[in-house]
Amino acid sequence: MPTALITGVTGQDGSYLAELLLEKGYTVIGMVRRTSTINFDRINHIQDKIEVVQGDLLDQMSLIGILHDYRPDEVYNLAAQSFVPTSFTQPVLTGEFTALGVTRMLEAIRIVDPQIRFYQASSSEMFGKVVEVPQRETTPFYPRSPYGVAKVYGHWITVNYRESYNIFGCSGILFNHESPRRGLEFVTHKITHTAARIKLGMAKELRLGNLEARRDWGYAGDYVRAMWLMLQQNEPDDYVVATGETHSVQEFVEEAFGYLDLDWRQYVVQDSRYYRPAEVDLLVGNPAKAGAKLGWEPAVDFRQLVRIMVDADMEQLQKGQHTPNNPLI
């Protein structure tokens, strides 16, 4: 029975990945930071099936201790300061977690057991001001936020440890992936949650920034499967994980509101406070390599994704729940 360590297990991706690994017979160790606001909502339904341990990407010795005690076969590094707007207001902290935190984990692996297979959560935000459409593994990076810059560091330090120390390190360059478990601060869940509240008479408007920004949106449950597949290969490599389709924020709004028989124009207000200092206008990935080498392809399309999220928000709001904690989706 293999053992896997997941950093960021309480997040959207961590919860879906933990479910997947449990289904495959893994022993799952979930690392969480010692804080006063740990939110276990996303893993409540599986918390008795995994072992939650305290560790911190800012603390090298805690990582070494966890690897030494649990001897995982695989490490999935999903923990990060991952909200792009926050990276502009807290750029140094973002660098500590999202960039140097990767080095600390890789160094812990090198010290404890270089045979551990390592997955690094890279991001399409590394492409930023894109120089090629669609983006693929060889597309040059041009990050447009401290978060994107930090992710570029995490990506390249993984490559460096792979080539310097022969560590089985893979980076998944994941494009935007959403679900009912997405944080409410992210635009997709803000849209579906507010649309549901408007439908139920609980809100009157939705304030958004740039409606023209275009993203490649997929379903998080599909994307964690690609993470696992990367660590099952004979050789480590990096892969773009995406749907290959791009949609604007406005299209996401239209789909969500239209599904609830609402005219979005009556409720959506553009607000300059929600514009980024440096905007990323167009992200769309080419997942051909992941399809050819991993046999991976997304199962949920754009329309299905939006409707899954709207349905979950309607259900939770009608039950009096206000947090993205539905484990059944």
Side-chain angles (χ1 to χ4, degrees):
M1 182 181 293
T3 297
L5 170 66
I6 303 173
T7 73
V9 72
T10 59
Q12 169 187 257
D13 292 6
S15 65
Y16 282 112
L17 179 61
E19 287 176 345
L20 176 70
L21 297 180
L22 287 171
E23 291 171 3
K24 294 184 178 297
Y26 279 68
T27 296
V28 177
I29 313 299
M31 192 183 92
V32 299
R33 295 182 67 218
R34 176 76 174 95
T35 72
S36 60
T37 56
I38 299 175
N39 185 345
F40 289 102
D41 283 348
R42 296 182 182 92
I43 60 169
N44 273 339
H45 61 297
I46 56 171
Q47 200 168 338
D48 61 340
K49 300 176 183 177
I50 69 177
E51 182 153 1
V52 177
V53 299
Q54 290 182 4
D56 198 321
L57 290 179
L58 301 187
D59 179 33
Q60 182 80 67
M61 292 309 297
S62 71
L63 304 180
I64 292 173
I66 291 171
L67 296 185
H68 183 270
D69 291 344
Y70 293 96
R71 296 288 172 167
D73 302 284
E74 299 170 0
V75 170
Y76 295 86
N77 186 44
L78 309 185
Q81 191 303 99
S82 60
F83 190 45
V84 173
T86 297
S87 78
F88 284 101
T89 57
Q90 297 183 329
V92 175
L93 184 67
T94 298
E96 286 286 353
F97 278 114
T98 308
L100 292 178
V102 186
T103 309
R104 294 187 188 101
M105 181 60 83
L106 284 164
E107 188 65 4
I109 289 172
R110 185 186 70 81
I111 292 169
V112 176
D113 181 4
Q115 298 307 306
I116 293 172
R117 295 192 170 202
F118 176 76
Y119 171 83
Q120 166 59 14
S122 288
S123 169
S124 59
E125 288 284 335
M126 300 188 305
F127 295 121
K129 187 176 181 180
V130 299
V131 299
E132 179 181 41
V133 179
Q135 294 88 56
R136 51 186 173 171
E137 292 80 6
T138 55
T139 301
F141 299 136
Y142 194 147
R144 297 272 281 170
S145 66
Y147 169 77
V149 172
K151 280 294 185 182
V152 170
Y153 177 98
H155 180 87
W156 282 116
I157 200 67
T158 301
V159 173
N160 187 265
Y161 269 69
R162 182 168 72 209
E163 296 178 352
S164 300
Y165 303 115
N166 202 32
I167 285 174
F168 193 108
C170 298
S171 284
I173 307 173
L174 271 57
F175 280 65
N176 293 64
H177 47 290
E178 319 297 321
S179 77
R181 300 182 196 174
R182 189 63 140 152
L184 287 172
E185 69 273 21
F186 290 88
V187 67
T188 51
H189 203 180
K190 180 180 179 180
I191 291 168
T192 61
H193 188 260
T194 307
R197 293 186 75 234
I198 291 171
K199 182 67 175 180
L200 295 172
M202 300 168 66
K204 294 183 178 180
E205 69 175 18
L206 167 62
R207 305 187 80 85
L208 295 172
N210 182 10
L211 297 180
E212 302 307 314
R214 303 185 69 84
R215 295 292 185 272
D216 184 327
W217 277 302
Y219 175 54
D222 287 338
Y223 285 37
V224 298
R225 186 163 33 90
M227 300 177 188
W228 175 77
L229 285 168
M230 290 178 208
L231 297 196
Q232 312 316 306
Q233 304 306 303
N234 293 327
E235 299 293 334
D237 207 345
D238 306 321
Y239 299 87
V240 163
V241 180
T243 69
E245 296 181 3
T246 184
H247 298 272
S248 67
V249 174
Q250 181 172 315
E251 287 177 72
F252 202 106
V253 169
E254 290 171 351
E255 185 62 42
F257 278 74
Y259 183 45
L260 293 174
D261 295 319
L262 297 171
D263 182 354
W264 68 274
R265 298 176 192 83
Q266 296 180 18
Y267 305 102
V268 174
V269 178
Q270 283 191 273
D271 189 329
S272 60
R273 291 178 298 172
Y274 297 107
Y275 280 79
R276 297 181 183 182
E279 183 59 82
V280 174
D281 296 316
L282 171 63
L283 291 175
V284 55
N286 179 354
K289 181 177 175 181
K293 293 194 173 184
L294 304 179
W296 179 87
E297 60 181 22
V300 176
D301 66 22
F302 176 74
R303 173 174 287 186
Q304 290 172 316
L305 170 65
V306 177
R307 295 186 174 195
I308 286 171
M309 294 177 68
V310 170
D311 286 341
D313 283 324
M314 287 291 290
E315 179 183 346
Q316 288 190 326
L317 288 167
Q318 288 169 332
K319 289 180 178 178
Q321 298 173 336
H322 297 274
T323 54
N325 62 353
N326 190 338
L328 303 179
I329 303 298

